[in-house]
Amino acid sequence: MEFSVEFYVTANGGSPVQAFLEELKASDPGDFTAVLAGLAKLKNRRYHREPLAKALEFGLFELRHVGKLNTRVLWFFMKGRRIITVHGIRNKGRSIPARDLDTARDRMRDWQKRFEK
């Protein structure tokens, strides 16, 4: 029962989460490695809960890594055991800013509109 983890791709072919991860790799290799390991763990259903993952709202979830800054990758489920990562953020606070939730929700809707069958 393995899931696939995929990156959201814009209509123009860009991948905001991959760009976020590249920036993270350059700025904080340790956190990058931890987040990459977390994404790999999401392939297994038993990790779809705290402390690694947490349900948010609107069908979104977060992969969480606590380091110097809180690093989060927001994602949602699609049919066929697919996890689509839509947004990455780093912040000092415990909560996710509303603008970041809005960005993730917009990307989720865009993906669903383009690819849901």
Side-chain angles (χ1 to χ4, degrees):
M1 250 176 46
E2 195 155 292
F3 287 76
S4 67
V5 178
E6 304 170 32
F7 295 105
Y8 167 81
V9 177
T10 66
N12 296 333
S15 176
V17 175
Q18 284 183 312
F20 169 78
L21 290 173
E22 286 299 317
E23 289 175 24
L24 184 61
K25 183 178 183 180
S27 66
D28 195 334
D31 281 1
F32 168 77
T33 301
V35 170
L36 222 52
L39 289 171
K41 284 182 178 181
L42 286 180
K43 292 179 179 183
N44 188 315
R45 182 175 150 186
R46 74 172 177 234
Y47 292 106
H48 295 174
R49 59 179 179 251
E50 293 189 42
L52 181 67
K54 181 179 177 184
L56 299 174
E57 52 189 20
F58 312 111
L60 289 168
F61 296 80
E62 68 172 331
L63 167 76
R64 303 185 298 172
H65 171 68
V66 178
K68 297 173 197 163
L69 292 171
N70 294 323
T71 306
R72 296 176 164 103
V73 175
L74 307 183
W75 52 277
F76 67 96
F77 289 104
M78 285 281 289
K79 291 178 187 174
R81 299 188 190 282
R82 296 169 64 198
I83 290 173
I84 311 299
T85 61
V86 291
H87 190 55
I89 62 168
R90 297 189 87 193
N91 66 357
K92 292 181 183 180
R94 295 181 134 197
S95 63
I96 299 172
R99 71 180 181 280
D100 288 304
L101 284 172
D102 290 343
T103 297
R105 191 171 49 249
D106 290 345
R107 289 175 180 167
M108 179 178 72
R109 287 182 189 140
D110 173 58
W111 185 270
Q112 290 170 333
K113 186 168 63 169
R114 290 189 291 139
F115 296 105
E116 197 166 72
K117 294 173 172 104

